[in-house]
């Protein structure tokens, strides 16, 4: 996938600049491991890191500052040295650090200010390693300072979809696209955005009943209609909210929840129930903010339901946590709980259950769930967790 190059080439363990904590980073370039002394800085700006075990959702990154070194005619990325960061921390540069962390400052200005803070050249900052040598900034004739702002995160407006096969057939597939090219709805869409919102892929638009889902075992992970007993699945009645998933999350079927009696995940990305006023498009990618979470237990498996609102919804400004939903939309949370509890009953199956006494947990709890399942996803994607379920990871 075109937008997972960074994920394939770089394994970052974390650098938490805002809190002053520094963790070693291991960096791989497409030319292999680089053992030269490192100069890499990642600025904090409220995004969940793609490859961080240690950084929290509140101390995450999307703006990278890196140095590359010319070696044997190739431009290779080099590793981090504590000395460079210690130099930055030892100086009284609070204003610059605040600017580096601010979403209101442009990427170029952030690059220039951070380079200035580290006594590095500030002219001609290049956007990627393919920039012609004449346009790159050399450091002592060896290093090249670069910046990139969330290069793996395509802008929402550039997403579209492509259909393959006839709708309402077993062969039908809907691919998410970015700038006309197929991308994975699961792997190639970032989990979180610079403004702190999360990305939601709509699988089932509100007031529809076809049980669509991201195909986690198929290349590029297109949307398809679920099949059971050789028949296309439909809910017994329309769902009243937009329903879908959070990219780059995974409920690990071997990861047990002690708080919920040792039940494990359902082997799928985390589900979203978007309670906004507008019907989303199937396959559409939308910015949302988490308001709460239900710990649904389906057939003995943990199946989180993250209650969200689109950031562009008319009610978004007044909905920030679970109590806001009860105040502004009285009874809505109970409707969500009952709908997912009972939807299998018309087919002769038992009702689903819930943990935490069927109560919706708050926004902070929902973000904790997202962070944990994002880490489980990263473990799977990076090979730390065996892919024994034949999941398509590219």
């Amino acid at each position: 996938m075109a937008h997972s190059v960074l994920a394939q080439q770089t394994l970052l363990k974390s650098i938490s600049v805002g809190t002053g904590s520094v963790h070693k980073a291991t960096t791989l370039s497409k030319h292999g491991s680089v053992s030269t002394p490192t100069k890499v800085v990642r600025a904090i700006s409220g995004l969940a890191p793609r490859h961080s075990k240690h950084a929290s959702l509140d101390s995450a990154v999307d703006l990278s500052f890196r140095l590359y070194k010319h070696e044997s005619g190739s431009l290779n990325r080099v590793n981090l040295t504590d000395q460079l960061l210690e130099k930055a921390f030892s100086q009284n540069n609070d204003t610059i650090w605040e600017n580096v962390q601010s979403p209101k400052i442009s990427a170029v200005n952030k690059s220039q200010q951070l380079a200035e803070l580290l006594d590095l050249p500030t002219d001609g900052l290049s956007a990627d390693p393919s920039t012609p040598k004449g346009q790159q900034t050399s450091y002592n004739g060896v290093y090249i300072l670069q910046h990139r702002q969330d290069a793996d995160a395509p802008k929402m407006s550039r997403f579209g979809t492509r259909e393959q096969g006839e709708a309402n057939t077993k062969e039908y597939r809907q691919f998410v696209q970015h700038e006309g090219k197929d991308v994975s709805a699961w792997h190639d869409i970032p989990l979180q955005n610079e403004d702190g919102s999360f990305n939601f892929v709509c699988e089932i638009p509100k007031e529809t009943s076809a049980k669509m889902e991201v195909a986690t075992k198929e290349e590029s992970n297109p949307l398809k209609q679920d099949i059971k007993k050789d028949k296309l699945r439909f809910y017994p009645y329309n769902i009243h909210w937009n329903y879908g998933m959070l990219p780059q999350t995974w409920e690990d079927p071997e990861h047990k929840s002690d708080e919920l009696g040792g039940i494990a995940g359902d082997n799928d990305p985390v589900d979203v129930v978007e309670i906004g006023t507008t019907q989303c498009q199937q396959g559409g990618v939308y910015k949302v903010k988490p308001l709460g979470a239900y710990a649904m237990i389906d057939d003995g498996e943990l199946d989180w339901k993250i209650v969200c609102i689109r950031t562009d919804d008319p009610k978004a400004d007044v909905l920030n946590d679970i109590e806001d939903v009860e105040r502004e939309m009285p009874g809505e949370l109970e409707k969500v709980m009952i709908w997912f509890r009972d939807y299998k009953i018309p087919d002769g199956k038992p009702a689903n259950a819930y943990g935490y006494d069927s109560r919706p947990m708050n926004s902070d709890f929902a973000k904790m769930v997202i962070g944990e399942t994002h880490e489980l996803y990263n473990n799977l994607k990076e090979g730390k967790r065996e892919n024994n379920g034949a999941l398509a990871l590219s």
Side-chain angles (χ1 to χ4, degrees):
M1 292 295 110
H3 303 290
S4 59
V5 173
L6 183 62
Q8 295 166 7
Q9 294 181 358
T10 309
L11 305 178
L12 288 170
K13 293 208 174 165
S14 100
I15 305 162
S16 298
V17 175
T19 59
S21 63
V22 181
H23 301 282
K24 282 286 187 178
T26 301
T27 309
L28 302 177
S29 79
K30 62 183 178 180
H31 303 289
S33 179
V34 181
S35 58
T36 316
T38 298
K39 293 182 176 67
V40 179
V41 179
R42 287 174 69 87
I44 307 303
S45 58
L47 278 187
R50 291 178 61 109
H51 296 285
S52 173
K53 286 186 63 176
H54 307 288
S56 70
L57 288 174
D58 293 325
S59 62
V61 300
D62 95 306
L63 186 61
S64 303
F65 301 86
R66 302 170 184 165
L67 283 171
Y68 290 76
K69 182 180 180 182
H70 284 294
E71 291 181 316
S72 304
S74 297
L75 189 62
N76 292 340
R77 187 162 160 198
V78 296
N79 287 334
L80 175 70
T81 56
D82 292 341
Q83 289 84 355
L84 185 68
L85 289 179
E86 287 171 4
K87 176 181 178 181
F89 296 142
S90 65
Q91 300 181 51
N92 185 15
N93 291 293
D94 292 342
T95 300
I96 292 182
W97 281 123
E98 288 175 7
N99 288 343
V100 166
Q101 297 177 56
S102 170
K104 297 179 181 179
I105 308 297
S106 73
V108 172
N109 285 340
K110 287 181 180 181
S111 293
Q112 291 174 337
Q113 291 189 38
L114 189 56
E116 181 179 335
L117 171 65
L118 302 176
D119 291 329
L120 297 174
T122 58
D123 296 329
L125 295 174
S126 58
D128 59 66
S130 63
T131 304
K133 291 183 180 179
Q135 298 176 27
Q136 296 173 336
T137 299
S138 63
Y139 177 60
N140 291 340
V142 177
Y143 295 105
I144 296 172
L145 177 67
Q146 302 188 322
H147 77 272
R148 59 186 291 167
Q149 184 161 14
D150 204 11
D152 287 346
K155 293 190 179 300
M156 299 301 104
S157 61
R158 297 179 182 175
F159 283 110
T161 59
R162 174 180 71 86
E163 295 182 325
Q164 178 178 296
E166 292 186 28
N168 301 314
T169 68
K170 297 176 185 177
E171 293 74 29
Y172 175 81
R173 298 291 184 272
Q174 185 181 40
F175 293 84
V176 175
Q177 293 198 314
H178 175 250
E179 295 184 340
K181 296 181 180 180
D182 291 350
V183 295
S184 166
W186 189 15
H187 307 306
D188 294 329
I189 298 170
L191 172 61
Q192 199 174 10
N193 302 299
E194 184 178 0
D195 59 6
S197 65
F198 291 80
N199 290 320
F200 154 64
V201 179
C202 180
E203 297 168 312
I204 307 172
K206 66 188 296 183
E207 303 307 333
T208 65
S209 63
K211 183 71 170 65
M212 305 297 295
E213 62 183 14
V214 167
T216 57
K217 295 186 178 182
E218 297 184 15
E219 185 178 355
S220 296
N221 310 115
L223 275 71
K224 69 172 186 177
Q225 191 164 354
D226 191 24
I227 297 174
K228 204 151 198 176
K229 295 182 179 179
D230 205 38
K231 292 183 179 179
L232 296 173
R233 282 189 69 189
F234 291 87
Y235 288 128
Y237 30 70
N238 285 352
I239 188 169
H240 307 309
W241 309 274
N242 296 301
Y243 187 65
M245 51 82 77
L246 291 171
Q248 298 187 30
T249 61
W250 183 52
E251 298 195 52
D252 186 344
E254 295 182 5
H255 181 77
K256 296 181 179 180
S257 171
D258 294 333
E259 289 188 0
L260 297 170
I263 61 171
D266 67 352
N267 202 33
D268 283 322
V270 172
D271 295 329
V272 167
V273 182
E274 195 279 318
I275 60 174
T277 56
T278 304
Q279 184 187 57
C280 294
Q281 295 295 312
Q282 181 181 295
V285 182
Y286 301 91
K287 289 184 175 183
V288 296
K289 57 179 173 179
L291 306 173
Y294 276 109
M296 195 178 92
I297 302 170
D298 182 355
D299 228 1
E301 296 176 333
L302 182 56
D303 188 8
W304 289 106
K305 307 297 180 190
I306 307 296
V307 179
C308 293
I309 186 79
R310 279 175 55 176
T311 59
D312 60 353
D313 191 271
K315 288 184 176 290
D317 287 342
V318 295
L319 297 181
N320 295 293
D321 214 327
I322 206 69
E323 63 268 17
D324 300 331
V325 181
E326 201 56 62
R327 182 188 67 246
E328 299 293 330
M329 305 172 69
E332 195 73 10
L333 292 170
E334 185 178 14
K335 291 177 185 176
V336 170
M337 186 274 291
I338 292 173
W339 195 98
F340 284 97
R341 184 192 67 190
D342 295 348
Y343 78 89
K344 291 184 177 180
I345 293 177
D347 293 332
K349 297 182 179 180
N352 290 320
Y354 288 93
Y356 302 107
D357 298 322
S358 300
R359 291 181 292 110
M361 309 305 283
N362 66 16
S363 176
D364 285 343
F365 188 96
K367 291 175 183 177
M368 181 185 70
V369 170
I370 295 170
E372 182 179 82
T373 55
H374 180 53
E375 181 176 345
L376 294 172
Y377 165 86
N378 281 337
N379 289 341
L380 175 70
K381 195 78 165 61
E382 296 169 8
K384 298 176 184 176
R385 158 68 157 91
E386 182 184 358
N387 181 17
N388 51 15
L391 298 169
L393 301 181
S394 62

